Amino acid sequence: VALKRMLNFNVPPVKNSTGEPVWKVLIYDRFGQDIISPLLSVKELRDMGITLHLLLHSDRDAIPDVPAVYFVMPTEENIDRMCQDLRNQLYESYYLNFISAISRSKLEDIANAAIGANAVTQVAKVFDQYLNFITLEDDMFILCNQNKEVVSYRAINRPDITDTEMETIMDTIVDSLFCFFVTLGAIPIIRCSRGTAAEMVAVKLDKKLRENLRDARNSLFTGDTLGAGQFSFQRPLLVLVDRNIDLATPLHHTWTYQALVHDVLDFHLNRVNLEESTGTETSPAGARPKKKNKKSYDLTASDKFWQKHKGSPFPEVAESVQQELESYRAQEDEVKRLKSIMGIEGEDEGAISMLSDNTAKLTSAVSSLPELLEKKRLIDLHTNVATAVLEHIKSRKLDVYFEYEEKIMSKSTLDKSLLDMISDPDAGTPEDKMRLFLIYYISSAQAPSEIDLEQYKKALMDAGCNLSPLNYIKQWK
C-alpha cells in the first residue's frame, strides 16, 4: 500500500477513477529495486503508469516532458547523482523519495544543486518513505539483501569487530525495524534477553521511538499516516532473540519444500535461479560445450500451488505435482475430443443433436483456456524446481541427514554411528558433514571426550572439511 501510494505521487490511489494513470518514470537504486521487486510485478507497475524503470547509476537519456519518481537510499553517491540529474534537466518534475530518513545536511546539498540548476520549481516533493525493509510474504520480512554480510550472525560475532562497526550494524538493524513500525503505524512493546546484541538493538529502537513521539508536530505515528491505530491499546509485541540461543536449527537439513529450495538452490527475494542441465546427447568432437541455460522462476503469493505446498514435506509435493499434471491432461484431452467431434460429416439426426450439445461444451472449454495455460505454466515451473531439488537430495543423501539430525535433536537412539555417516564418501558434501557434526556437538549434553573429538576431527578432515566452524562452536560452547 505504501509503495503504491508513493508511485501515485504520495496521494492515496483513488479506487473508482477510470481516468488514465499519469505516465511517469521510476528511478531506483539497488536497495529500492530489492524492496519493489518481490511486491510489484512489471505489469502492476505499468498499470500504475510506470513506463520505464531504471537504475539511478545507469546511463539515462533525458525525457524532458515526463515526471520522475525517485526511490533511493540517501547515500552520498546517490545524492550526487540526483544533483547531476537536476543540472542536466533530465525530467519535467522530480518526486524524491528516500527509503530511510535523509539528514538535514544532505537535504541542503540537494537544495543548493536545485538553486544552481535553476530547477527549484521542478522538485515537486521530497519524502522520507521509511520503507527500509523487504517484504517477502504477508507475514515475513527481511532487513536487507544488498551487502547482507554487513548485517549477519557472522558480522556481529566476529572476534575482531570494533565498537564503531558494531554501532553501525546496530544502527542498520534499528533503522529497518523503525521503518517497519512506521509503515505499520504502531508502536511495539519490546522484549529481549539481557546482555546480548538483542538488548543493544532493543535499547536503540526504544530511544528512537521515544524521540519520535516526543516531537508532537512531526511524529510519524500521529496524523494521517497509513495506520490510524497509533494510540489503540492493541500494541504489537516485538520479541528480539539472539541467534545464539538456538544455533542447531539454522544448520539443520530441512525437509519441507520452501526450506529445501532455500537450502539447496539459488533462491533470493522469492526468485529461484536454476541451471538447466543440458541433455546427454554427445556433441561432435571439437565442438564447443553447450552453454547451460539459466532459468529463473518467481515463487510468489499469486502462485496457488506454492502457497498451498511450501510448508509440505517434499514427497507430498512431488505427489501433488503429479496429480496436478494428470488433471491438466484430462482437461486437455477433453478439449481435443470436442474438436474432433466438431468435424462430423453426414447429416444424420444424431450428429446434429450431438453438435448442439457439444457447442455449449466447447464454448465453456474455450473460456477456460487462459486458466488452463496458467495451470500448465505452474505445473512446468514446479516440475522443474522440484526436479532440481530432487537431484540434490539424491546426490547428497539429504533425506538420511534430515532423519539423522532429527534423532540427534530429539535425543532418540541412533541406528548408525556418527563416524560412519561422516566417513561415508557417497553421503553429502563436506559442508553437509560439518553441519551434521556441529548439530551433534551443540545438542549433546556433555561435550565428546578429547579422544573421541580427535577421531571425529580426523574423519572430518579426511572428508575435506574446513575445521574453523568447529573451533568457533567449541569456544562458544
Side-chain angles (χ1 to χ4, degrees), residues 173-190:
I173 296 175
V174 168
D175 182 58
S176 288
L177 288 173
F178 182 72
C179 289
F180 174 72
F181 284 108
V182 170
T183 306
L184 204 63
I187 296 162
I189 295 166
I190 307 175

Side-chain angles (χ1 to χ4, degrees), residues 102-114:
I102 181 173
S103 65
R104 168 110 201 177
S105 61
K106 286 181 180 153
L107 262 179
E108 286 169 2
D109 294 347
I110 296 180
N112 287 332

Side-chain angles (χ1 to χ4, degrees), residues 153 162 188 192 197 240 247 259 270 291 323 329 359 416 433:
Y153 177 83
T162 62
C192 65
L240 294 164
L247 266 182
N270 293 348
K291 266 197 170 165
Q323 285 164 4
R329 285 204 176 126
T359 314
K416 170 173 172 184
K433 295 179 178 181

Side-chain angles (χ1 to χ4, degrees), residues 34 109 115 117 119 130 133 159 179 186 203 207 236 311 324 333 341 399 406 450 467:
D34 286 346
D109 294 347
I115 292 168
Y130 293 101
F133 57 96
C179 289
V203 170
K207 186 166 166 239
E324 292 277 317
D333 290 346
I341 291 180
D399 46 342
E406 284 280 288
E450 283 301 314
L467 290 185

Side-chain angles (χ1 to χ4, degrees), residues 361-381:
K361 279 191 192 162
L362 190 67
T363 320
S364 77
V366 170
S367 61
S368 67
L369 267 179
E371 208 175 294
L372 264 182
L373 289 171
E374 174 62 9
K375 198 169 184 179
K376 171 118 175 64
R377 187 184 71 80
L378 290 183
I379 293 171
D380 290 348
L381 183 161

Side-chain angles (χ1 to χ4, degrees), residues 30-34 134 144-150 269:
R30 292 257 176 247
F31 292 95
Q33 187 179 21
D34 286 346
I134 301 171
C144 64
N145 181 52
Q146 295 298 324
N147 39 1
K148 56 171 166 256
E149 61 283 350
V150 180
L269 301 183

Side-chain angles (χ1 to χ4, degrees), residues 333-344 362 369:
D333 290 346
E334 174 67 3
V335 175
K336 282 184 184 154
R337 195 179 65 78
L338 290 170
K339 274 187 186 159
S340 66
I341 291 180
M342 286 313 200
I344 295 171
L362 190 67
L369 267 179

